[in-house]
Every structure is written in C-alpha cells, then in structure tokens.
Amino acid sequence: MIEGGAQTVSWQSCVIEAIVQQTPSIKSVFLRASKPFAPIAGQHVDVRLTAPDGYRAMRSYSIASTAASSLIIELAIERLPEGEVSSYFHDVATIGDAIELRGPLGGHFLWPDPAAGAVLLIGAGSGVVPLMAMIRQRRTQTPAVPTALLLSARTAEDVLFSEELHATEIGDPAFVLALAITREDPRRTSDFGRRIDSAMVQEVVARLDRKPTHVFVCGSNGFVNIATEGALLAGLDAAMIKTERYGGA
C-alpha cells in the first residue's frame, strides 16, 4: 500500500481481465477500466472492496502499466500477513469480478517529463512496481535516457518482473540492472549478495555514463533511508531524490 492523500477523482467500476502469478508472493491483477485511464509512471490508485454486509476496505496500489496500455491497468499485489485486500486478490478474486477503483493519484513521485538527464531507480520487493512503470514509459517515450535500476529481493525467484527486466538489459545499452539478492548467492557477477548499502548505491551510480539528475527510491521506511543516504554519499543532490514508502495490507 502506498501512503499519500487522495485527490478529487471519481470512483469507477473495473473488471478483472487476468491474474498472473509473478513471484511466490506477488500477483499481477489486470483490470479493465470503464472510463479512460491515462496514468503517469509513478502514480497509484485506490482500490475499494465492499462486502455483502456493507463493510468496506480500501488500499492504495502503485500502477505497473503505462498510459499506452489503454483501458487495461496492471497492479502487482503482494500477499501480506492478515491483509484484507491483498488476501482477497490472492485467494478469492477471479476473472470477471468487479472492483471499484479511483485514480490515477499522486503528483510527486513521477517520471520526469521531459526526461533529459540520467535516472537512478532504487527499489525493494514490490517497491519496484512504480519503477517498472517508469522503465516501461521510458522504453516507449525516451529510450535513450541512461537509466539504472538497483533492486533488492530475497532470492532470484522473488525478483518481480524478472524476465522483462533482464530482456530490457540485454536489448538496451542505456539501461543498467543490478540486483541485491539477500538470502542466496547471486547468479550474476554484476549483482550483489547482500542488502543494499551506501557502497552499493555508489557503485551502481558509477555504472552510469553520467551522474543522475533524477533519483527515485521506493520501499519500506528503513530501506528508503539507507538508499537515500547512499545516493547522498554518491554526491547526488538531495533535491533530485524522490521517495515513496509503502506499508499496509
């Protein structure tokens, strides 16, 4: 769940088009919106569930898809312990179910337009979702912008969007991918076998051909603090660093 105040956007009914198991704990849920939907990479939506007795639960989720996806919205939802909404999507939801949705929301954590300088993306677990939207938007709009993603995951199996990220790295010389695998040895020499720290952030910055002019960090409170400190120690200006902190169920 993404923290942030709601904007004045009306609710609409969406229908689940597909559900894809991405990692052992994360599913992508593809929703067909009933109204035009044009998010900017980095934005999120509010999702509201209503029980037969009238009880409602609402959570906010980052959007993984881009405006080019038309009426189809992709949310990547992690199963969280005792999570009301995440448990519904993992255990109950089926294709054809109707879901209430409000968005797109958020005006701070956004892919720069125009994107001229290099970009550094740092995420952990499901925190890669808004960063993935940025990578996808970059691919269609500004593919020449040098971009590095430093992503932390427990194991290689837990790397969300792994196949797409590796394909992007292979086919795009301006894109740098570095994984921080915390619970097993990394499979590639370009990856790291430890939690993200300041030295790691500085090394990834050095892999870009120029100093980043935009930095986006998404993860838990502790993760964001460590990653931000690393960016500052790498000589990056605090004014260029934007953060998103997640939590909730």
Side-chain angles (χ1 to χ4, degrees):
M1 184 183 82
I2 303 300
E3 299 175 350
Q7 299 171 9
T8 305
V9 180
S10 60
W11 291 94
Q12 64 167 299
S13 178
C14 298
V15 175
I16 296 178
E17 286 268 313
I19 301 174
V20 177
Q21 189 80 47
Q22 297 281 15
T23 74
S25 63
I26 300 175
K27 287 185 176 182
S28 277
V29 178
F30 295 86
L31 302 171
R32 177 172 291 277
S34 55
K35 301 176 184 178
F37 198 92
I40 300 171
Q43 289 188 302
H44 64 277
V45 294
D46 290 338
V47 171
R48 184 169 69 185
L49 304 179
T50 304
D53 63 1
Y55 173 76
R56 284 178 170 174
M58 185 178 76
R59 297 293 183 268
S60 299
Y61 294 102
S62 291
I63 304 165
S65 50
T66 67
S69 303
S70 185
L71 292 176
I72 302 299
I73 306 157
E74 180 184 2
L75 307 179
I77 299 175
E78 183 176 11
R79 178 195 291 277
L80 299 176
E82 302 180 3
E84 291 179 311
V85 177
S86 64
S87 293
Y88 166 79
F89 281 108
H90 277 263
D91 300 331
V92 179
T94 60
I95 294 173
D97 283 356
I99 303 295
E100 287 186 291
L101 179 147
R102 177 174 63 186
L105 303 169
H108 169 70
F109 197 79
L110 303 177
W111 178 255
D113 184 20
V119 179
L120 173 63
L121 311 173
I122 308 176
S126 60
V128 74
V129 177
L131 308 182
M132 191 71 233
M134 293 179 182
I135 291 168
R136 288 169 170 172
Q137 184 167 319
R138 167 190 172 275
R139 183 187 306 144
T140 59
Q141 296 182 0
T142 52
V145 172
T147 301
L149 171 65
L150 173 56
L151 176 61
S152 176
R154 294 181 181 89
T155 69
E157 190 179 23
D158 292 309
V159 176
L160 184 58
F161 305 120
S162 176
E163 185 175 336
E164 184 175 350
L165 288 171
H166 284 97
T168 300
E169 180 187 37
I170 292 171
D172 185 349
F175 179 74
V176 174
L177 174 65
L179 304 177
I181 305 300
T182 63
R183 296 190 180 178
E184 65 181 21
D185 292 334
R187 299 175 181 177
R188 311 183 313 167
T189 57
S190 58
D191 293 333
F192 303 91
R194 65 182 193 273
R195 295 181 182 276
I196 285 180
D197 54 32
S198 294
M200 189 186 301
V201 174
Q202 293 175 70
E203 181 174 335
V204 173
V205 168
R207 294 182 187 179
L208 286 166
D209 65 358
R210 68 193 73 169
K211 182 174 287 190
T213 55
H214 302 277
V215 181
F216 296 90
V217 183
C218 186
S220 64
N221 277 322
F223 175 87
V224 168
N225 292 340
I226 291 171
T228 299
E229 179 183 6
L232 293 173
L233 291 174
L236 305 184
D237 188 342
M240 71 175 62
I241 303 172
K242 296 183 179 181
T243 64
E244 193 96 289
R245 302 166 192 266
Y246 62 67

